[in-house]
Amino acid sequence: MAILVTGGSGYIGSHTCVELLNAGYDIVVVDNLTNSRLESLRRVREITGRDFKFYKVDLLDQEALIRVFAQNKIDAVIHFAGHKSVGESVRLPLWYYHNNITGTLVLCKVMEKYGVKNIVFSSSATVYGLQEKVPIAEELPLSATNPYGRTKLMIEEMLRDLYLSDSNWSIALLRYFNPAGAHNSGLIGEDPNGIPNNLMPYITQVAAGRLKELQVFGNDYETIDGTGVRDFIHVVDLALGHLSALTKVMATTGVEAYNLGTGRGYSVLELVKAFETVTGMRIPYTITSRRPGDIGICYANPSKAERELGWVAEKGIEEMCSDSWRWQSNNPNGYLEEAKIAAGVGAAPSPRTLSRSNEDFFVYIGR
Ligand code: WQD
């Protein structure tokens, strides 16, 4: 029995791979590595001591994906692969619709071809649009305010239609709030390309001296200190939520959406203060104007996931800060250094952990 993890070398994907391997699952990872590095998977193996298969595959390449299913007995899929920058999606909508939606269509067709009808989909709280009613529950009306959010909404609708056409499908739609933090080993973490869009990696890069100061996007919201309030959830809690959803989809049929959040909101300045207290680092900041498209307050009602998945977030904001800082301070340039080495810029990584097959799309992560 193997779980296929698409986008498994990314931030949430790699953390979920760690928890899947630790829980005894066999996994197969596919990723096109356009927004992540193979080094993250080498470290997943280092953390867990377990070997697994990786295929460098773009979901748009149906023939390559068919080969993965033909070579492995897949029982369920956790689908992370997709572009996720709100700003980039506004600039490049066609690229986002093609990559995220067509990629998911190809995945579902190949799953159907091989009789695999269990899927956990990486959705987002962004499908609630400019929802001002908090805490946010799953039955609230859905809308999207940008192409990225619309791809998540459209994929949710596609998957609902798929179930209506064939009730043998079992589908969990996981709506993430604000993922933050890192595995406590300091070996894996969030490694955004370029200047971070999201708050926590921006803060850690200021602390690491890569960025000068934080711009706080507005302090005129109706919140405790005027700055935006969000439901920050530790990425390990998020990963464990995927394992709980996987257990459910393997045991039942149907399609259900679940909020993965803590149910607790923190303001931007509360997060900055928590980070400074926990790490002893100072985070200089300037208050600037609101970021277009932002809402003031957003946090989850996570009771449905607790009730139906038996899952609840356990890690607090302090742990998110300390784990994020451990990752960033241990890896000032993210995975880049190791990736340069692996690309032959320096000494090759130890062959025992990164052996390549004779096919250029398959890499065995292990001895
Ligand atoms: C959080 C708060 C900002 C950066 C986004 C996506 C969402 C999901 C999570 C994928 C807001 C403020 C931020 C900065 C700031 N991604 N902020 N200065 O916008 O809640 O959600 O990431 O699923 O889809 O929309 O997260 O981290 O960008 O912002 O003041 O440099 O921090 O205004 O109040 P957001 P964020």
Side-chain angles (χ1 to χ4, degrees):
M1 178 172 100
I3 308 302
L4 178 72
V5 184
T6 77
S9 67
Y11 172 42
I12 303 166
S14 55
H15 283 81
T16 303
C17 286
V18 164
E19 300 308 330
L20 285 166
L21 291 166
N22 285 343
Y25 288 100
D26 290 326
I27 66 171
V28 174
V29 177
V30 297
D31 202 303
N32 64 8
L33 299 179
T34 56
N35 199 23
S36 59
R37 299 190 191 279
L38 190 55
E39 176 59 21
S40 67
L41 294 179
R42 193 189 70 77
R43 298 194 186 183
V44 164
R45 190 194 170 284
E46 192 174 337
I47 290 167
T48 62
R50 293 205 52 210
D51 300 342
F52 56 94
K53 292 180 182 178
F54 165 71
Y55 294 85
K56 186 174 180 296
V57 164
D58 190 313
L59 295 187
L60 296 171
D61 183 348
Q62 182 163 316
E63 287 316 306
L65 194 58
I66 286 173
R67 286 166 63 193
V68 174
F69 276 78
Q71 293 176 19
N72 299 278
K73 170 83 176 67
I74 305 296
D75 293 83
V77 175
I78 301 182
H79 177 32
F80 293 104
H83 295 318
K84 60 165 186 167
S85 164
V86 171
E88 188 179 56
S89 78
V90 173
R91 292 192 305 275
L92 301 167
L94 295 183
W95 186 42
Y96 264 66
Y97 287 122
H98 184 52
N99 184 73
N100 291 5
I101 294 176
T102 310
T104 305
L105 277 173
V106 169
L107 172 66
C108 290
K109 283 194 287 185
V110 175
M111 287 176 70
E112 201 169 48
K113 174 183 172 67
Y114 284 88
V116 180
K117 298 185 176 182
N118 300 318
I119 184 169
V120 176
F121 172 58
S122 166
S123 189
S124 166
T126 202
V127 301
Y128 294 112
L130 298 177
Q131 188 62 252
E132 289 296 350
K133 187 175 179 334
V134 285
I136 293 177
E138 288 84 353
E139 57 273 8
L140 285 185
L142 304 181
S143 67
T145 58
N146 56 72
Y148 160 74
R150 268 185 281 279
T151 67
K152 292 298 186 183
L153 196 47
M154 289 178 186
I155 292 169
E156 286 200 10
E157 293 305 310
M158 263 170 40
L159 293 172
R160 289 185 188 280
D161 287 340
L162 185 52
Y163 173 70
L164 290 175
S165 73
D166 174 355
S167 59
N168 292 308
W169 280 83
S170 187
I171 302 165
L173 311 170
L174 302 186
R175 295 170 180 167
Y176 308 159
F177 279 70
N178 288 66
H183 187 266
N184 62 15
S185 64
L187 286 172
I188 56 175
E190 191 167 7
D191 185 20
N193 284 335
I195 304 291
N197 295 309
N198 293 140
L199 181 60
M200 183 66 98
Y202 203 105
I203 288 174
T204 59
Q205 289 194 20
V206 169
R210 283 178 63 178
L211 295 168
K212 181 171 169 293
E213 64 173 9
L214 172 69
Q215 281 77 43
V216 175
F217 298 145
N219 67 344
D220 57 349
Y221 290 103
E222 288 184 27
T223 65
I224 187 170
D225 55 25
T227 63
V229 168
R230 293 292 184 275
D231 185 331
F232 297 100
I233 174 170
H234 197 292
V235 64
V236 172
D237 278 329
L238 197 59
L240 292 169
H242 287 73
L243 270 69
S244 302
L246 180 64
T247 301
K248 180 153 190 299
V249 301
M250 300 282 285
T252 61
T253 58
V255 51
E256 288 293 345
Y258 297 100
N259 287 339
L260 295 191
T262 66
R264 168 85 164 82
Y266 284 92
S267 77
V268 173
L269 290 182
E270 285 177 318
L271 184 66
V272 169
K273 183 165 177 45
F275 187 88
E276 291 182 329
T277 304
V278 162
T279 64
M281 306 300 291
R282 209 177 65 76
I283 303 297
Y285 66 84
T286 306
I287 304 289
T288 62
S289 54
R290 291 183 178 190
R291 180 172 62 178
D294 271 358
I295 54 176
I297 304 180
C298 176
Y299 59 88
N301 171 346
S303 58
K304 182 180 176 187
E306 188 169 348
R307 193 174 57 249
E308 295 189 13
L309 302 181
W311 170 88
V312 64
E314 295 176 351
K315 296 175 183 291
I317 203 82
E318 295 76 11
E319 211 167 337
M320 289 178 223
C321 292
S322 59
D323 291 342
S324 290
W325 179 232
R326 187 178 306 108
W327 151 253
Q328 184 72 80
S329 53
N330 289 349
N331 305 272
N333 294 305
Y335 296 114
L336 185 59
E337 295 313 312
E338 298 285 342
K340 277 183 186 169
I341 292 170
V345 176
S350 51
R352 70 179 176 78
T353 58
L354 208 56
S355 53
R356 293 181 182 285
S357 74
N358 53 6
E359 295 173 274
D360 63 356
F361 89 122
F362 167 56
V363 174
Y364 186 67
I365 307 285
R367 288 183 183 74

